[in-house]
Amino acid sequence: MATESRTQLEVCEMTCEHEEITSKLRNLLQEEEIVGMAQIFKSLSDPNRVKIAFLLDQGKELCVCDIAALLDCSVATASHHLRQLKSSHITKSRKEGKNVYYSLKDHHIQTLIAMTLEHQREKSDHE
């Protein structure tokens, strides 16, 4: 019963389209852009990958071994997460000798991490 009444509050009781608004919004994003944005969020949907992004934001550049130590996981597991982040254009890497160093791809990802953390902390303060 509570679910039914909550659902009624979340659904329009009458169907109508506000064409002056929808016509302006309809083509703002291209399908390719939407898919790319979804891929970023999908890649960051794993807590370990969010942690890696946060650590790279704070540490600027870390080798795979450092990330494995910080996550308390194997180098293979850390590498797997880093490959996924790199394939989503969230991180970049460079090889120096026998070590591979990772950093965030650009300031947009840094901003995304910072704003998401700020949102989470504000949400926690209001609960």
Side-chain angles (χ1 to χ4, degrees):
M1 190 67 136
T3 303
E4 184 179 315
S5 64
R6 188 175 336 141
T7 302
Q8 289 175 344
L9 292 174
E10 296 170 351
V11 178
C12 291
E13 293 179 25
M14 185 179 92
T15 302
C16 66
E17 180 181 345
H18 300 91
E19 289 186 39
E20 65 279 358
I21 297 170
T22 59
S23 65
K24 291 178 186 177
L25 298 175
R26 195 168 309 282
N27 296 315
L28 285 179
L29 291 175
Q30 301 300 314
E31 189 64 26
E32 182 179 304
E33 293 172 320
I34 294 168
V35 170
M37 291 167 64
Q39 183 60 46
I40 290 171
F41 288 114
K42 182 178 178 183
S43 293
L44 290 171
S45 68
D46 180 277
N48 284 317
R49 290 193 290 270
V50 171
K51 190 182 286 187
I52 290 169
F54 174 78
L55 293 168
L56 290 173
D57 181 48
Q58 298 301 300
K60 303 303 176 208
E61 184 177 69
L62 297 168
C63 81
V64 177
C65 300
D66 292 333
I67 293 169
L70 288 164
L71 292 181
D72 195 26
C73 69
S74 69
V75 170
T77 298
S79 293
H80 168 76
H81 288 304
L82 287 160
R83 271 192 306 277
Q84 180 136 16
L85 292 169
K86 187 174 180 180
S87 71
S88 297
H89 305 283
I90 293 170
T91 62
K92 60 184 178 181
S93 65
R94 68 176 183 84
K95 187 159 182 131
E96 186 176 301
K98 294 185 179 187
N99 292 339
V100 178
Y101 291 87
Y102 280 84
S103 59
L104 293 179
K105 181 96 173 178
D106 59 34
H107 74 279
H108 300 107
I109 300 299
Q110 292 170 314
T111 301
L112 181 62
I113 297 300
M115 291 179 76
T116 306
L117 180 60
E118 181 180 343
H119 175 75
Q120 181 60 35
R121 287 180 173 165
E122 285 178 3
K123 186 179 97 174
S124 295
D125 288 344
H126 297 299
E127 290 179 349

